Amino acid sequence: MQSFLLLTLLLLSIGGYYMGRKRAFAVAGGHIRNLHSLPSFYGSYTALWCGLPALIVFALWATLQPSVIIDLVVAGMPPELRNLPPDRLNLIVNDLKNLVGGNIVSSTPDPAMLEAANHYRNLRVIGNASLWVVVMTLAIGGIAHAWRTISPTLRARNRVEKIVNLFLIFSSTVAIFTTLGIVLSVVFESILFFRQVPITEFLFGLHWSPQTALRADQVGSSGAFGAVPLFAGTLLISGIAMLVAVPIGLMSALYLSEYATPKFRAVAKPALEILAGIPTVVYGFFAALTVAPLIRELGAALGLHVASESALAAGLVMGIMIIPFVSSLSDDVINAVPQAMRDGSYALGATKSETITRVLLPAALPGIVGSILLAVSRAIGETMIVVMAAGLSANLTANPLAAVTTVTVQIVTLLTGDQEFDSPKTLAAFALGLVLFVVTLILNIIALRVVRKYREQYE
Amino acid sequence: MSTTAIETKVALDQALDLNTAPRKQSSVEVTDYDNRQTVGKITVDNPKMTCRGVNVYYGEKHAIKNVGLDIGANEVIAFIGPSGCGKSTFLRCLNRMNDTIPICRVTGQLRLDHDDIYDKSIDVVQLRARVGMVFQKPNPFPKSIYENVAYGPRIHGMVNTKAELDDLVRESLERAGLIKEVEKRMDEPGTSLSGGQQQRLCIARAIAVNPEVILMDEPCSALDPIATAKIEELIDELRENYTIIIVTHSMQQAARVSQRTAYFHLGDLIEVGETDQIFTNPKHKLTEDYITGRFG
Amino acid sequence: MNKPTASPPTKIPSRDIKTIVNAGLARRHAAERRFRWYGLIAITLGLTFVVLMFANIIGKGYPAFWQTYIQVPVTFDAAVIDPQGNRDPQAIETADYAALVRAGMRQLFPNVQGRLELRALYGLVSSDAAHELQDRVLQNPALIGASQEVWLLASASVDTLVKGNIDRALDESERPIKDNQLEWVDKLQAAGKIEKQFNTILFTSGDSREPEQAGIRGALMGSFFTLLVTFLLSFPIGVATAVYLEEFAPKNRWTDLIEVNINNLAAVPSIVFGLLGLAVFINFFGLPRSAPLVGGLVLSLMTLPVIIIAGRAALTSVPPSIREAALGMGASKLQMVGHHVLPLAMPGMLTGSIIGMARALGESAPLLMIGMVAFIVDVPKGFMDPSTVLPVQIYLWSDLPERAFVERTSAAIMVLLAFMILMNGLAILLRKRFERRW
Ligand SMILES: Nc1ncnc2c1ncn2[C@@H]1O[C@H](COP(=O)(O)OP(=O)(O)OP(=O)(O)O)[C@@H](O)[C@H]1O
Ligand SMILES: [Mg+2]
């Protein structure tokens, strides 16, 4: 329905383009030289007048219509329904939507609901119809306006370019708005959360058990929002991941850049980078269904008790995922060390490995540290692997064979499934998100600084 | 020297018969540009290194063409010639630095004392310890001044105690004439020194290993005249203990520091002789053109 | 030969560097070889992981492309399908086709008696078999009254058994398939009445609780709609941003800020974008949960930095001479960019965008936040329909314990990887094809 409207609008705009061009030819008496701009600019000018205002109105309308309709329907409900507490009312609105959508509703709908559903349907039809009328009027009006204003002296090019310029500038601000949106959404919800649970308790509490806080009389007062076990779990799993990724990634990078023949390098480097392209959900699947059972069986054979969702399994697989990240960043860093350093060392009679360990690595160290920091921030923010392979219980332990949970796992668990907004449980997820965002941001800023400093050193 | 060693030397010298070098050297004046036979005496009485029939290829490119040359013990010999003529290439053959370039191929015979340096039995690690090198651009490692000099002795296991190492580092810096300037700042990074100091640090680094030969590829080209003068002075002092081969673009420098000079042209060794003679009385037209500045 | 000199260290070190170096050579070369080995081992490990993962997933997933069917003699009994005999479509549609399936099964094994036994027998075929019969009759009402041998979809446990994934030695209570069922399946197999056919259901149906009826069509369509939104939003905005920053923007604090922002956004964990989507698009703007539109919005914000960075790289690689030439001909700056620079930079931008799209295709974490994890049977038909995407479908299935679902999860992963390989291949092709034209 709405996509059909958009399509019509698009066609109209295209039509407007040709009309504008024709009109320009006409007012110029067939001599393009008389025109201020090329005819195509008059075409674009008309198309913009046709499409732009209509599109803006359409976007606003489409986003506002559902909530306006709901408000109107609720206002039209009998008072005993209308005056229910907000959460009950929400349920009713949901039922209503299901009813309108033709989905099966649990109970047989009562007459009041049926009436409201009809009301809803009517309003929606009216809304959509008026949307059509308004958008079409605007589009055609736009073409008419352009038609009237096109004259040989109209500075069509300047006007069109101005709009394009505005679009360019607007586009470039999207990144800023995204950051702003992230900051505002997590900070705002976090503040709500910290009103209910003191920030010190959140940051330093040792006990995490948000589910118990579900009971209304217990909200926020149960002391169940101590996030330290999550931070510890995140660090444990990321630590294991780095123990896997750093040696393998670094040694691979060194081998590829210092030892490998060009042929071998041409094959092995992209092959290794395949690891970076595999979706994380695939790693999660691999971790949960292959690696974790394997580790548990191995542990059992050695007489160790290994949890079925051990930190080790998740960490190992996460490490594999990060290998190409470490190796390609280190590769860049190592290649940035000037050849003169290597020559100096070889000329003194050093072997390759001596040159690498005593000259290259110390010289590249800042850059490598930067890459590792980037990799750590990647590991901390990784979600799917831990959601699928790490546990849910918040154990405060350093034992890699035990099950731990992480910040990202808890965010996902708290926000999936049934949820009511504004409960400390969901708000806690945003507080965790805030911590995650701040920590990764700081890591990234430091890492980028370090790497940049390092690059400058050799420029 | 044991008898076997003497026998080997004789055998090697026979094998290295100068006749294997297909060109005979002439000492007459050559006024013909196309004549690329080496003019002058390529042999010396007590050679440290001997090269015969050396050819170097970069892939298809023939960069050094059948060069024969002796380098005497405790002499300073200068390589001169227009840019791209193969001076660096030839120099880098002498400690097999060319091995690091995959497309580079070297044929012919090169000997250090009595060891064929391209023989399988010769270890490049050992060879490079014996034949040190200083590069055109100072390239101190990003480590402290002390560690820069200590690098070679450490990797080769030349010293056993920290005190020995301290002595060796001081000794080397002293011989490189740098000790006064860096005595108080041994722990500062080598890169914090001035260009001239850095180059002397690189020389100290090279002599800390106590090599027999030192190769220098335009060691002063990145330095100002005062730093250059210091290095030239240093080279003169070092001659006492080492054999030094220096590539330079500065005729004056060659004249100041070297006893013999070799002139290269497009991969050929054109003329070699006493430095005075080369600069005052070149025998080959090409040499003369170059000396008098009609060339390059 | 020379003996190593054992003279005490003098101030001037021993002249004989040759001997000193010789002494340590063996040890140093051993260290060198060891180091080399470490490198080789590291690479091998990394490559082994790649191979292992692919082998593991392909090994688990390829059987899912075949599905077991049982040949059942079905009598399209008019008394069941069309008791009135008036061919009323409504009646035909709602008839009890399951009864026909049951009758057919009884016909295969006439000796089976008793409620429990019979229930076990009926359990050999999927509950979808009735739909199959319904479809046949609806398409061809002439079938009514006829008898036919029909290949009916077997139940998941039979399928698992036939694929050899059930240990017959296990105790009966621990097997999903009972002793009597085992016997029947063996008999059917001996009679050639069991067959594996290409699994079209996997590609034509949506999710289901029954493994044998579950497919990825819904997830694929969800991914398609989501990616379409992502592309439509992020490509124009990304290209416009790249063009603005490279060609128009003055160098000032504001553009610096934009640049810092883009670089940082590229490193923000994906799940944080999910939080943004939940808080802004769903709670603030009231867009529906689980909709591809919202998923696409979130993913486009994530993909933007990738496209912008690739776009800028593509623009900087266009030689300045082309800009000067265009400006010299009297073009306005915008015309210069639009007509000359952008077309040259386009292949590079497209390459970057395709890689960004491939990444978006594999992304799942932020979509969990905005409710694209619901169990959705219907195949979505638009941007507002509740749906899920392929990686999330994989996540959902991976949680289910049945062997048949493990198989399907792996198969879904294979499809996902195939798409990613396709997209990356396209990107590489594009880059190769248009590399340095000038
Ligand atoms: N790594 C290499 N690969 C291919 N060709 C090379 C390489 N190094 C040098 N050449 C070629 O070999 C020839 C000799 O180069 P070389 O560096 O020895 O000259 P040079 O005499 O040292 O010049 P300059 O005085 O400029 O340093 C040149 O033509 C050069 O192009
Ligand atoms: Mg040179």
Side-chain angles (χ1 to χ4, degrees):
Chain A
M1 180 69 181
Q2 289 180 339
S3 31
F4 186 54
L5 177 54
L6 280 180
L7 202 69
T8 318
L9 195 57
L10 184 70
L11 289 177
L12 263 179
S13 298
I14 294 173
Y17 175 84
Y18 286 105
M19 280 162 74
R21 236 175 45 157
K22 234 172 109 187
R23 172 77 177 156
F25 275 119
V27 295
H31 298 291
I32 299 180
R33 224 167 316 127
N34 296 344
L35 289 171
H36 170 269
S37 317
L38 288 174
S40 60
F41 279 108
Y42 292 91
S44 308
Y45 172 78
T46 316
L48 282 173
W49 260 113
C50 165
L52 215 52
L55 202 64
I56 290 169
V57 167
F58 173 83
L60 283 177
W61 193 299
T63 44
L64 292 180
Q65 173 168 321
S67 44
V68 170
I69 289 186
I70 291 284
D71 284 351
L72 287 176
V73 170
V74 170
M77 279 178 178
E80 70 270 21
L81 279 180
R82 196 174 51 208
N83 295 333
L84 281 172
D87 47 340
R88 290 271 292 117
L89 196 61
N90 255 339
L91 280 181
I92 290 196
V93 168
N94 255 336
D95 273 357
L96 190 66
K97 279 185 190 160
N98 280 334
L99 201 60
V100 173
N103 291 352
I104 302 103
V105 189
S106 47
S107 56
T108 40
D110 61 66
M113 283 295 280
L114 281 176
E115 168 121 12
N118 266 332
H119 190 188
Y120 189 105
R121 277 196 204 98
N122 287 339
L123 282 175
R124 205 169 56 176
V125 169
I126 295 171
N128 283 345
S130 28
L131 175 62
W132 263 91
V133 172
V134 170
V135 167
M136 283 300 124
T137 318
L138 273 174
I140 293 165
I143 294 182
H145 173 79
W147 184 269
R148 266 194 296 111
T149 43
I150 286 179
S151 70
T153 52
L154 178 74
R155 299 156 71 86
R157 196 190 75 186
N158 305 35
R159 303 235 174 149
V160 170
E161 290 199 344
K162 191 157 208 169
I163 293 201
V164 174
N165 255 327
L166 277 177
F167 172 67
L168 292 182
I169 292 174
F170 161 78
S171 295
S172 68
T173 57
V174 169
I176 289 184
F177 282 117
T178 308
T179 309
L180 213 65
I182 290 176
V183 171
L184 284 184
S185 52
V186 291
V187 166
F188 187 68
E189 311 290 350
S190 298
I191 289 173
L192 290 182
F193 176 70
F194 292 132
R195 276 208 198 122
Q196 302 182 33
V197 178
I199 186 164
T200 48
E201 195 185 316
F202 174 72
L203 287 179
F204 305 113
L206 299 183
H207 189 59
W208 177 268
S209 168
Q211 306 304 336
T212 59
L214 263 181
R215 271 165 41 209
D217 56 323
Q218 232 184 345
V219 169
S221 62
S222 65
F225 285 103
V228 170
L230 312 191
F231 301 151
T234 307
L235 284 184
L236 179 61
I237 290 181
S238 312
I240 296 170
M242 298 320 288
L243 282 182
V244 174
V246 171
I248 296 185
L250 195 56
M251 283 309 289
S252 306
L254 285 173
Y255 187 86
L256 285 178
S257 70
E258 302 298 315
Y259 287 103
T261 59
K263 247 193 204 148
F264 182 78
R265 188 180 153 90
V267 175
K269 204 170 157 37
L272 210 56
E273 264 154 25
I274 292 179
L275 284 173
I278 296 176
T280 53
V281 69
V282 178
Y283 283 103
F285 177 74
F286 187 62
L289 271 88
T290 307
V291 178
L294 202 74
I295 289 180
R296 203 182 38 198
E297 273 162 36
L298 261 171
L302 295 172
L304 293 171
H305 173 73
V306 183
S308 53
E309 298 184 315
S310 60
L312 188 58
L316 264 178
V317 174
M318 194 190 278
I320 297 175
M321 182 196 86
I322 295 177
I323 289 173
F325 202 72
V326 174
S327 79
S328 70
L329 281 173
S330 319
D331 198 44
D332 292 350
V333 166
I334 291 164
N335 285 330
V337 178
Q339 181 64 27
M341 294 292 130
R342 296 177 177 83
D343 284 348
S345 174
Y346 292 141
L348 285 167
T351 63
K352 241 179 192 174
S353 61
E354 284 161 354
T355 305
I356 291 170
T357 51
R358 290 167 188 241
V359 177
L360 279 189
L361 283 183
L365 194 64
I368 290 174
V369 169
S371 333
I372 292 178
L373 284 183
L374 284 178
V376 170
S377 108
R378 185 71 175 267
I380 290 178
E382 171 48 41
T383 306
M384 290 320 285
I385 295 178
V386 280
V387 166
M388 293 165 83
L392 284 177
S393 50
N395 298 322
L396 189 54
T397 170
N399 176 7
L401 302 182
V404 294
T405 190
T406 72
V407 173
T408 47
V409 171
Q410 290 302 317
I411 295 178
V412 170
T413 353
L414 293 175
L415 288 184
T416 48
D418 295 327
Q419 47 160 293
E420 43 199 304
F421 224 68
D422 291 352
S423 81
K425 201 181 126 197
T426 50
L427 292 178
F430 283 90
L432 289 175
L434 178 65
V435 173
L436 192 63
F437 179 69
V438 170
V439 169
T440 50
L441 194 69
I442 291 174
L443 277 175
N444 276 301
I445 290 174
I446 296 175
L448 289 179
R449 282 261 161 88
V450 171
V451 172
R452 188 171 318 141
K453 269 260 166 63
Y454 164 77
R455 290 260 157 77
E456 280 163 4
Q457 183 187 330
Y458 292 118
E459 259 159 21
Chain B
M1 211 183 270
S2 62
T3 42
T4 35
I6 292 168
E7 276 166 23
T8 329
K9 177 175 160 46
V10 173
L12 272 168
D13 282 349
Q14 279 165 357
L16 231 168
D17 184 358
L18 294 183
N19 295 333
T20 55
R23 295 176 197 152
K24 78 183 219 296
Q25 292 91 50
S26 59
S27 39
V28 295
E29 216 147 302
V30 180
T31 50
D32 171 10
Y33 282 113
D34 289 336
N35 189 332
R36 297 294 174 86
Q37 288 186 354
T38 307
V39 176
K41 212 170 85 163
I42 63 164
T43 54
V44 292
D45 290 341
N46 60 337
K48 183 72 193 166
M49 301 190 83
T50 45
C51 316
R52 291 296 177 273
V54 176
N55 285 287
V56 183
Y57 305 85
Y58 288 111
E60 292 294 298
K61 186 176 166 58
H62 199 171
I64 289 289
K65 298 166 189 164
N66 207 359
V67 167
L69 182 66
D70 278 3
I71 291 141
N74 293 50
E75 77 165 343
V76 177
I77 179 168
F79 289 179
I80 59 170
S83 189
C85 65
K87 306 177 298 283
S88 302
T89 302
F90 188 63
L91 194 72
R92 288 162 62 91
C93 289
L94 300 177
N95 69 344
R96 289 180 60 177
M97 276 304 279
N98 280 335
D99 288 13
T100 56
I101 301 168
I103 56 164
C104 184
R105 200 159 50 82
V106 179
T107 65
Q109 275 179 316
L110 290 113
R111 291 215 254 140
L112 172 62
D113 288 339
H114 304 296
D115 305 316
D116 181 350
I117 64 179
Y118 276 86
D119 192 77
K120 280 205 188 68
S121 64
I122 291 295
D123 201 298
V124 280
V125 168
Q126 193 203 57
L127 172 70
R128 288 177 189 159
R130 293 171 68 190
V131 183
M133 186 160 185
V134 175
F135 296 84
Q136 174 170 2
K137 243 182 87 188
N139 59 348
F141 301 135
K143 299 166 175 274
S144 71
I145 293 168
Y146 181 93
E147 284 300 327
N148 259 287
V149 183
Y151 182 78
R154 268 197 221 271
I155 56 171
H156 294 307
M158 289 173 65
V159 288
N160 298 317
T161 63
K162 176 85 170 101
E164 272 177 51
L165 186 61
D166 285 351
D167 281 351
L168 184 52
V169 169
R170 281 191 67 86
E171 167 81 26
S172 308
L173 284 168
E174 204 172 312
R175 283 206 237 169
L178 194 61
I179 190 71
K180 286 211 192 69
E181 289 146 84
V182 301
E183 209 160 20
K184 300 250 157 53
R185 39 193 292 207
M186 292 285 237
D187 292 328
E188 284 176 32
T191 43
S192 68
L193 297 172
S194 75
Q197 289 173 327
Q198 284 188 15
Q199 195 62 303
R200 276 181 286 149
L201 178 64
C202 290
I203 295 175
R205 188 173 73 184
I207 58 183
V209 182
N210 199 15
E212 299 160 31
V213 181
I214 301 176
L215 313 175
M216 297 185 173
D217 193 347
E218 303 180 38
C220 302
S221 63
L223 306 181
D224 66 65
I226 296 174
T228 304
K230 279 205 174 130
I231 300 225
E232 286 175 359
E233 217 170 283
L234 175 60
I235 292 172
D236 210 46
E237 285 164 20
L238 291 173
R239 182 159 68 95
E240 204 179 303
N241 293 311
Y242 308 97
T243 301
I244 294 172
I245 307 171
I246 178 168
V247 172
T248 178
H249 274 243
S250 150
M251 245 64 82
Q252 292 85 342
Q253 183 169 65
R256 281 193 299 266
V257 300
S258 70
Q259 285 80 56
R260 286 205 304 153
T261 296
Y263 172 69
F264 287 80
H265 187 95
L266 290 178
D268 286 298
L269 174 56
I270 296 296
E271 181 164 357
V272 53
E274 302 289 323
T275 301
D276 291 345
Q277 174 254 311
I278 294 272
F279 284 110
T280 53
N281 184 20
K283 297 218 163 74
H284 198 292
K285 186 91 177 90
L286 282 169
T287 321
E288 192 187 344
D289 283 359
Y290 184 69
I291 303 287
T292 53
R294 247 176 285 165
F295 196 101
Chain C
M1 291 296 286
N2 293 340
K3 275 194 218 137
T5 45
S7 55
T10 52
K11 188 122 200 282
I12 294 184
S14 143
R15 182 78 192 158
D16 200 2
I17 177 74
K18 201 170 153 182
T19 336
I20 296 173
V21 173
N22 252 344
L25 269 183
R27 177 184 49 80
R28 288 168 69 193
H29 282 307
E32 169 74 16
R33 273 193 299 277
R34 256 198 323 275
F35 192 81
R36 218 188 146 94
W37 268 108
Y38 293 152
L40 208 55
I41 289 171
I43 297 246
T44 319
L45 270 177
L47 296 182
T48 312
F49 288 139
V50 178
V51 173
L52 218 71
M53 221 147 84
F54 273 84
N56 182 279
I57 281 158
I58 293 173
K60 273 188 190 150
Y62 86 92
F65 292 102
W66 280 267
Q67 193 68 32
T68 308
Y69 285 79
I70 301 177
Q71 194 181 33
V72 182
V74 176
T75 310
F76 293 95
D77 192 348
V80 175
I81 301 173
D82 188 18
Q84 261 84 45
N86 56 7
R87 295 290 188 268
D88 171 20
Q90 182 85 38
I92 294 179
E93 204 175 330
T94 54
D96 185 10
Y97 290 94
L100 300 186
V101 176
R102 288 197 295 269
M105 289 308 285
R106 278 197 307 272
Q107 207 178 325
L108 272 177
F109 294 99
N111 296 333
V112 177
Q113 296 290 327
R115 242 170 56 89
L116 278 179
E117 288 269 291
L118 278 171
R119 169 129 21 111
L121 179 64
Y122 302 150
L124 294 185
V125 286
S126 164
S127 59
D128 187 51
H131 288 127
E132 165 69 22
L133 294 185
Q134 182 194 29
D135 277 356
R136 280 178 186 239
V137 173
L138 285 177
Q139 265 170 29
N140 180 13
L143 270 179
I144 298 174
S147 287
Q148 223 180 22
E149 293 279 328
V150 182
W151 286 103
L152 291 178
L153 182 62
S155 70
S157 42
V158 171
D159 182 57
T160 315
L161 177 74
V162 170
K163 285 172 180 164
N165 291 325
I166 293 180
D167 185 1
R168 288 165 182 255
L170 277 180
D171 192 67
E172 184 179 12
S173 60
E174 286 170 30
R175 280 191 249 118
I177 203 144
K178 302 301 161 217
D179 284 342
N180 48 7
Q181 291 179 312
L182 254 182
E183 194 183 310
W184 297 324
V185 171
D186 287 343
K187 272 193 189 144
L188 286 171
Q189 242 170 338
K193 286 183 181 297
I194 282 191
E195 184 178 283
K196 278 192 274 181
Q197 301 179 358
F198 183 74
N199 188 357
T200 46
I201 294 172
L202 185 63
F203 298 98
T204 53
S205 64
D207 199 3
S208 166
R209 295 274 184 227
E210 302 300 327
E212 77 274 8
Q213 297 169 28
I216 54 173
R217 176 66 170 270
L220 275 179
M221 290 315 286
S223 276
F224 172 75
F225 286 125
T226 309
L227 280 194
L228 195 63
V229 174
T230 307
F231 184 77
L232 289 181
L233 285 174
S234 62
F235 185 70
I237 296 182
V239 169
T241 308
V243 166
Y244 179 71
L245 290 179
E246 273 308 314
E247 308 284 338
F248 292 97
K251 270 266 155 268
N252 57 23
R253 306 246 313 261
W254 176 246
T255 43
D256 274 355
L257 181 72
I258 295 177
E259 231 159 284
V260 169
N261 249 300
I262 290 167
N263 287 335
N264 281 331
L265 277 184
V268 168
S270 58
I271 192 170
V272 174
F273 284 94
L275 291 177
L276 166 80
L278 176 60
V280 174
F281 298 132
I282 292 184
N283 288 329
F284 188 73
F285 285 116
L287 292 173
R289 287 170 70 84
S290 312
L293 177 69
V294 183
L297 278 167
V298 171
L299 290 185
S300 60
L301 293 183
M302 281 182 63
T303 316
L304 255 182
V306 180
I307 297 183
I308 295 173
I309 291 168
R312 295 186 67 178
L315 284 171
T316 36
S317 74
V318 175
S321 58
I322 286 178
R323 296 185 178 81
E324 283 150 20
L327 287 179
M329 276 163 39
S332 73
K333 208 164 177 198
L334 205 65
Q335 282 171 318
M336 175 267 287
V337 171
H339 292 172
H340 302 278
V341 178
L342 211 50
L344 285 177
M346 209 27 99
M349 292 180 156
L350 276 176
T351 308
S353 311
I354 294 173
I355 289 172
M357 287 296 126
R359 218 195 274 173
L361 172 64
E363 197 54 71
S364 32
L367 303 181
L368 303 185
M369 306 283 88
I370 54 167
M372 293 187 95
V373 273
F375 171 71
I376 290 152
V377 179
D378 295 325
V379 175
K381 292 189 197 60
F383 298 103
M384 292 295 190
D385 292 351
S387 56
T388 183
V389 293
L390 198 48
V392 176
Q393 186 72 71
I394 290 167
Y395 163 67
L396 286 170
W397 279 355
S398 73
D399 235 13
L400 303 171
E402 290 100 327
R403 169 78 206 189
F405 267 124
V406 173
E407 205 177 278
R408 280 180 140 67
T409 316
S410 306
I413 290 178
M414 285 166 71
V415 174
L416 178 64
L417 289 179
F419 272 111
M420 307 210 63
I421 291 170
L422 217 69
M423 290 170 88
N424 282 301
L426 192 68
I428 292 170
L429 213 71
L430 208 66
R431 180 158 26 190
K432 282 252 164 69
R433 176 94 176 64
F434 289 97
E435 219 168 31
R436 260 170 276 148
R437 266 198 315 202
W438 41 84

